[in-house]
Structure formats: structure tokens, C-alpha cells
Amino acid sequence: SAAQIAQETGGVFALHLPAAGTTVEASADASLLQSLLRAGQPWPASCRNGTCRACIGQLQAGPFHAVRTLPEEKASGAVLPCVACPTSDVVLTAPVD
């Protein structure tokens, strides 16, 4: 669980955003979207529960704990930042229109 990972690791990871040229802190017990917004990074979002898919992005590197990602999305590297929590440092790129 996210709480267990946070306790075991100290709970703070680096969330690298190559397109923005920045890195923000990502907590294991918060979604990637929460970490992005907390750091003032703009990111498309709507439902915040994985249903609408407005926030979908590409995970370039790093494992995460997620729910609601379809098998074909996960296989292609897609991630829903609103329901994904990091389990280590991650590299994330924004959705492509």
C-alpha cells in the first residue's frame, strides 16, 4: 500500500518533468497529480479518480502504485497521475493531444 511504502522509504521521491525542465517532490502517500499541483505545476485534470482520463501521461521511468489503469495503457507506459503514487523516483511526460 502507499502508506506502507511511505513508511518504509521515508516517503519522498523525485518527480522529474523533462518538458518543464524541473523536478518536484512526490510523496508516496499522495498521487502524482497532488504532488504536481502542490508544486505549482500545471497538469490537465478533471475527475481526480481515474475515470475521465484527462490527466493521462507517459511514465518514462520509475515504478508506481496505481489503480484504474487499463492493461493496454499500462503496457504502453501510460499512467493516470490522479490515481498513481510513486514507489521511487519517476520521470513523467504530459499527455499528447
Side-chain angles (χ1 to χ4, degrees):
S1 76
Q4 182 180 4
I5 292 167
Q7 185 177 12
E8 292 172 0
T9 64
V12 178
F13 303 107
L15 171 52
H16 303 285
L17 304 166
T22 192
T23 299
V24 301
E25 286 187 354
S27 174
D29 60 358
S31 73
L32 294 174
L33 179 62
Q34 289 170 323
S35 295
L36 288 163
L37 298 178
R38 201 174 296 139
Q41 291 296 313
W43 199 271
S46 183
C47 72
R48 300 191 192 293
N49 68 17
T51 303
C52 74
R53 306 239 163 333
C55 68
I56 200 163
Q58 286 296 120
L59 190 70
Q60 302 298 313
F64 62 93
H65 170 75
V67 295
R68 297 190 182 240
T69 306
L70 301 173
E72 59 271 18
E73 290 172 337
K74 194 168 184 176
S76 72
V79 62
L80 295 167
C82 68
V83 292
C85 297
T87 58
S88 75
D89 293 350
V90 295
V91 179
L92 182 67
T93 57
V96 178
D97 292 331

